C-alpha cells in the first residue's frame, strides 16, 4: 500500500480484485512534484478495460492533486498493449534504456521511460 500523499486503488469485478494501481511522488523532496505509478491487471481480466480505467484514474488523480508530470520509469518495450494504452492516454516515450529488461521470451529488451504532462489536455 502506498502511503500518503500517494494512494493505492483496486479494480473489482463482483467480489474479485482484477487489478490495482499504486501512485504517488516519483521521488521525495525536490522530485515530489512528479508522480509515478505501478499497475497490475489479472491476466484473466486483460482486454476488458481494467488497465485503461486504472490509468485514467491515476491521470485524473495526479491532475487533481497538482502534480506537474507523471513519469513511468519502466514500461517494457515489447509490452505492446501497455505502450499503446499509455500513448492513447497522452504519454510519450522520452527515452529507452536498451536491454534493461530480461524478458522470458524475447531476451534482453528495452525499458521505456514514459511521461505525461497532466496539466495539458
Amino acid at each position: 500500500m502506498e502511503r500518503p500523499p500517494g494512494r493505492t486503488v483496486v479494480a473489482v469485478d463482483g467480489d474479485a480484485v482484477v487489478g490495482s494501481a499504486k501512485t504517488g511522488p516519483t521521488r521525495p523532496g525536490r522530485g515530489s512534484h512528479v508522480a509515478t505509478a505501478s499497475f497490475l491487471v489479472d491476466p484473466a481480466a486483460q482486454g476488458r478495460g481494467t488497465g485503461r480505467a486504472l490509468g485514467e484514474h491515476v491521470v485524473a488523480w495526479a491532475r487533481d492533486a497538482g502534480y506537474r508530470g507523471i513519469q513511468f520509469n519502466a514500461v517494457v518495450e515489447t509490452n505492446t498493449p501497455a505502450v499503446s494504452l499509455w500513448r492513447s492516454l497522452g504519454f510519450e516515450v522520452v527515452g529507452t534504456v536498451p536491454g534493461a529488461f530480461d524478458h522470458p521470451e524475447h531476451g534482453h529488451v528495452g525499458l521505456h521511460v514514459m511521461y505525461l504532462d497532466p496539466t495539458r489536455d
Side-chain angles (χ1 to χ4, degrees), residues 24-75:
T26 295
R27 303 289 307 152
R30 299 186 74 63
S32 64
H33 60 286
V34 176
T36 192
S38 297
F39 299 86
L40 175 73
V41 175
D42 182 336
Q46 289 177 348
R48 298 189 346 216
T50 304
R52 176 170 296 282
L54 290 167
E56 289 172 349
H57 175 83
V58 165
V59 170
W61 175 82
R63 183 176 289 128
D64 293 346
Y67 285 94
R68 298 187 48 92
I70 305 171
Q71 176 180 323
F72 296 161
N73 294 317
V75 181

Side-chain angles (χ1 to χ4, degrees), residues 72-121:
F72 296 161
N73 294 317
V75 181
V76 178
E77 69 181 348
T78 57
N79 187 345
T80 305
V83 173
S84 295
L85 169 61
W86 303 136
R87 285 184 187 275
S88 77
L89 293 178
F91 285 82
E92 57 187 298
V93 174
V94 296
T96 303
V97 182
F101 186 79
D102 187 5
H103 193 283
E105 294 176 34
H106 305 292
H108 291 98
V109 298
L111 285 177
H112 291 322
V113 177
M114 299 188 80
Y115 180 80
L116 171 73
D117 179 347
T119 65
R120 293 190 322 208
D121 286 329

